[in-house]
């Protein structure tokens, strides 16, 4: 570890804050029809139906200093490892009844007869459990053709589980949101197919609403089970908080509708939502008070990687969610391990709620939300499934440069992000998680191609163009497929990440306009530039360079070059060497210059890593912080 005090570079930058809405406590949802008897009759008619378990965790309750913690374990619902079957089965039933004009009391045999008479077929979009549940119901009811659309890169074992239920799986050319649009278009344009989705949009609301109705069955079960536990323990176990993971928001819509119903005079439980750091659609929407469609990036919580909320969910989520938090894959993994030790076999989506509770209990900003009388129920939405062990993003378990080095040697784990013959998908996933943990916006340009690049943005005040106000800066980290200096390559990237994270949380200056582009292929820079408003300057962070600073010979470069030189000198307290050179055709500097941008390279300020005789990992980490300190000063001086 480096022996230095870099007060400008925090090794553990502040993470994304928790969202609290004190007005949600008094919110009451629109009135809905009470069809609980009809729901119960239907589920009871399904083969082997039984309520799932409500598992007490008294040790965790004692650890957190609250009265009770329970897990509603949706790990085996009618033989499927997810709560999704509740929504999908009821939605399929209702869709058939309305299409065939059957009575509301229609039996399973009546549904089968209607399917055969009308030649009904089913289709759906999924990242796993919903599509499998639709296929399960289709097989149970004798549907002859079921098409399930899945996003590119979905785990092959998940696909196989859907196929095993009798569905034809179609791999869409994009992420989950693209897959939903593809399935919707197919359902609308293909005769005989009924689209069964929990995601609502304008003109498609009935089926998603039926799915939400189905989810409420789980909540009725939980309430009844809590009463049993209260009787066994001979003390009140009134629910004060319910915690659930969020994908498109339908489960949370069901929770709000169920507990915050009109004319409810009793205290309602706080509704807490949990999302992956890299797919925080609801969290970000709540903060800006507008339903957003965001770019997501891979997470082990695949079922929660949704960039758009259901249109009928948002009107309830905005006023009805009390607390919204996000978690890292590492935190989720620890929750899964804890649940396993206590007899609950959870998958990543299933562990999310418990991880959210732990984060809520440990965050000073939410002090007072939990107390000695609190009783919390965590919804474990899925059973055990394989996932790739994540890497920590929030602590000091592994320095950035060392974490990136390890991940570079990891086989590709996300086909949608892989570049041809370049094992950087694991690095990209980690970088996206590391930045989103710190509330830095991340997106991918040319998703899935060999030129795919990650882009992170800090939105500051002022204009993007240099007009006498604030200037903008494009930082570039080039990760080539082959290099002999991996430490140098990832030292530069680590420095850029630290600088961006520190500037994101900085209170000593107005946040600058900065974009960080991480490009495995130089050609990807052209695509990145096409997506940006024109920045004022571009700085390539390249620790493999054998110099401090390099600028492209150009009279227009004078202002930026001198600013960078002065900033680096000021940050490090020593002289730095500035070299001028011509840019080689097709290089990063040449592309920047061709786009009329000031172009410079920031080299290895910590010395030549390759020649260092000491521990290269420590040397890389030392250089990482030196460069981050310099980049922060450049941003302060150039962008303000």
């Amino acid at each position: 570890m480096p022996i230095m005090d870099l007060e400008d570079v925090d090794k553990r930058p502040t993470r994304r804050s928790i969202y609290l809405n004190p007005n949600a406590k008094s919110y009451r949802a629109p009135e809905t029809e009470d069809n609980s008897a009809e729901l119960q009759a239907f589920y009871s008619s399904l083969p082997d139906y039984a309520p799932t378990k409500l598992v007490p965790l008294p040790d965790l309750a004692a650890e957190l200093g609250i009265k009770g913690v329970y897990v509603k374990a949706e790990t085996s619902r009618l033989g499927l490892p997810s709560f999704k079957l509740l929504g999908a089965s009821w939605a399929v039933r209702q869709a058939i009844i309305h299409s065939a004009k059957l009575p509301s009391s229609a039996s399973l045999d009546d549904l089968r007869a209607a399917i055969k008479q009308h030649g009904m077929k089913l289709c759906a979009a999924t990242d796993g459990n919903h599509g499998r549940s639709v296929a399960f119901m289709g097989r149970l009811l004798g549907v002859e053709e079921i098409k399930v659309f899945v996003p590119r890169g979905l785990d092959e074992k998940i696909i196989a589980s859907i196929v095993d239920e009798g569905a034809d799986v179609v791999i869409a050319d994009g992420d989950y949101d693209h897959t939903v649009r593809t399935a919707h278009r197919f359902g609308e344009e293909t005769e005989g197919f009924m689209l069964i989705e929990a995601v609502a949009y304008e003109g498609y609301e009935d089926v998603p609403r039926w799915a939400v109705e189905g989810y409420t069955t789980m909540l009725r079960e939980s309430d009844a089970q809590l009463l049993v536990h209260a009787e066994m323990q001979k003390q009140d176990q009134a629910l004060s908080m319910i915690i659930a993971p969020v994908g498109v928001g339908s489960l949370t819509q069901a929770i709000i509708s169920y507990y915050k119903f009109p004319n409810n005079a009793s205290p309602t439980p706080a509704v807490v939502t949990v999302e992956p750091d890299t797919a925080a659609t609801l969290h970000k929407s709540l903060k800006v008070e507008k339903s957003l469609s965001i770019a997501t990036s891979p997470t082990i919580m695949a079922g929660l990687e949704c960039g758009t909320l259901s249109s009928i969910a948002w009107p309830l989520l905005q006023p009805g969610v009390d607390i919204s938090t996000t978690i890292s894959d590492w935190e989720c993994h620890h929750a899964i391990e804890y649940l396993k030790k206590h007899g609950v076999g959870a998958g990543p989506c299933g562990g999310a709620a418990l991880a959210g509770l732990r984060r809520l209990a440990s965050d000073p900003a939410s002090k007072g939300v939990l107390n000695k009388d609190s009783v919390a129920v965590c919804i474990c939405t899925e059973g055990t499934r394989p996932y790739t062990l994540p890497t920590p993003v929030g602590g000091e378990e592994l320095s950035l440069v060392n974490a990136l080095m390890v991940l570079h040697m990891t086989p590709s784990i996300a086909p949608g992000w892989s570049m041809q013959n370049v094992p950087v998908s694991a690095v990209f996933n980690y970088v996206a998680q590391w930045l989103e943990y710190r509330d830095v916006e991340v997106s991918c340009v040319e998703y899935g191609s060999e030129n795919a690049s990650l882009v992170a943005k800090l939105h500051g005040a002022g204009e993007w163009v240099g007009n006498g106000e604030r200037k903008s800066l494009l930082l570039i980290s080039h990760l080539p497929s082959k290099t002999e200096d991996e430490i140098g390559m990832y030292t530069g990237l680590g420095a850029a990440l630290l600088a961006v994270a520190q500037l994101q949380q900085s209170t000593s200056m107005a946040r600058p306009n900065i974009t960080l582009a991480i490009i495995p292929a130089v050609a990807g820079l052209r695509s990145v530039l096409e997506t940006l408003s024109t920045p004022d300057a571009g700085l390539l962070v390249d620790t493999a360079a054998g110099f401090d600073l390099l600028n492209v010979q150009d009279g227009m470069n004078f202002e930026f070059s001198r600013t960078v030189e002065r900033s680096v000198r000021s940050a490090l307290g020593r002289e730095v060497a500035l070299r001028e050179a011509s840019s080689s055709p097709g290089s990063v500097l040449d592309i920047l210059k061709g786009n009329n941008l000031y172009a410079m390279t920031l080299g290895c300020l910590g010395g030549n890593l390759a020649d260092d005789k000491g521990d290269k990992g420590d040397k890389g980490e030392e250089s990482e912080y030196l460069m981050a300190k310099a980049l922060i000063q450049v941003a302060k001086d150039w962008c303000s």
Side-chain angles (χ1 to χ4, degrees), residues 162-224:
I162 299 170
V163 172
D164 286 345
E165 299 295 342
D168 296 324
V169 172
V170 180
I171 299 175
D173 188 24
D175 60 9
Y176 175 75
D177 280 11
H178 174 80
T179 303
V180 170
R181 291 191 294 270
T182 301
H184 282 197
R185 187 166 54 250
F186 177 85
E188 291 170 352
E189 297 175 356
T190 310
E191 186 177 354
F193 276 91
M194 290 194 301
L195 178 66
I196 306 297
E197 273 300 315
V199 186
Y201 62 95
E202 186 176 354
Y204 183 78
E205 297 176 340
D206 288 340
V207 173
R209 188 172 288 111
W210 293 326
V212 169
E213 289 177 357
Y215 298 151
T216 61
T217 299
M218 170 177 53
L219 307 176
R220 292 186 187 90
E221 291 177 0
S222 179
D223 284 352

Side-chain angles (χ1 to χ4, degrees), residues 92 123 159 168 306 319 470 486 543 545 597 615:
V92 168
C123 64
I159 293 176
D168 296 324
C306 307
R470 293 160 54 84
E486 290 181 357
T543 54
L597 300 180
D615 187 289

Side-chain angles (χ1 to χ4, degrees), residues 473-476 536-540 560 589 592 597-601:
L473 178 63
L474 172 63
L475 299 180
I476 303 158
D536 293 294
L539 187 61
L540 172 64
F560 181 55
L589 297 184
L592 293 175
L597 300 180
Y598 300 161
M600 288 192 68
T601 296

Side-chain angles (χ1 to χ4, degrees), residues 144-355:
E144 292 188 359
E145 191 170 356
I146 308 162
K147 287 196 179 293
V148 175
F149 294 79
V150 302
R152 181 179 53 209
L154 188 66
D155 187 275
E156 291 183 2
K157 291 182 179 178
I158 296 177
I159 293 176
S161 70
I162 299 170
V163 172
D164 286 345
E165 299 295 342
D168 296 324
V169 172
V170 180
I171 299 175
D173 188 24
D175 60 9
Y176 175 75
D177 280 11
H178 174 80
T179 303
V180 170
R181 291 191 294 270
T182 301
H184 282 197
R185 187 166 54 250
F186 177 85
E188 291 170 352
E189 297 175 356
T190 310
E191 186 177 354
F193 276 91
M194 290 194 301
L195 178 66
I196 306 297
E197 273 300 315
V199 186
Y201 62 95
E202 186 176 354
Y204 183 78
E205 297 176 340
D206 288 340
V207 173
R209 188 172 288 111
W210 293 326
V212 169
E213 289 177 357
Y215 298 151
T216 61
T217 299
M218 170 177 53
L219 307 176
R220 292 186 187 90
E221 291 177 0
S222 179
D223 284 352
Q225 291 163 327
L226 265 181
L227 289 175
V228 173
H229 281 284
E231 291 177 3
M232 292 172 59
Q233 298 174 33
K234 300 188 184 307
Q235 64 172 341
D236 178 42
Q237 291 289 303
L239 180 64
S240 55
M241 177 178 291
I242 184 162
I243 310 166
V246 174
V248 299
S250 297
L251 174 56
T252 306
Q253 178 188 351
I255 292 171
I256 294 172
S257 297
Y258 179 81
Y259 285 109
K260 300 191 176 187
F261 60 87
N263 304 317
N264 181 10
S266 303
T268 60
V271 176
V272 180
T273 58
V274 185
E275 296 171 278
D277 286 329
T278 55
T281 311
L282 174 61
H283 189 82
K284 293 180 179 181
S285 296
L286 289 170
K287 285 187 172 181
V288 300
E289 300 182 346
K290 178 183 178 181
S291 183
L292 303 174
S293 287
I294 69 168
T296 64
S297 51
T299 167
I300 61 172
M301 295 165 272
L304 308 182
E305 193 187 325
C306 307
T308 304
L309 299 169
S310 173
S311 63
I312 61 172
W314 172 246
L316 279 75
L317 304 184
Q318 183 180 16
V321 169
D322 295 81
I323 303 170
S324 168
T325 186
T326 67
I327 59 169
S328 68
D329 281 6
W330 184 251
E331 290 168 317
C332 182
H333 166 69
H334 274 282
I336 295 168
E337 291 294 299
Y338 185 90
L339 288 170
K340 182 179 179 181
K341 290 178 182 177
H342 291 79
V344 179
C349 295
L354 184 61

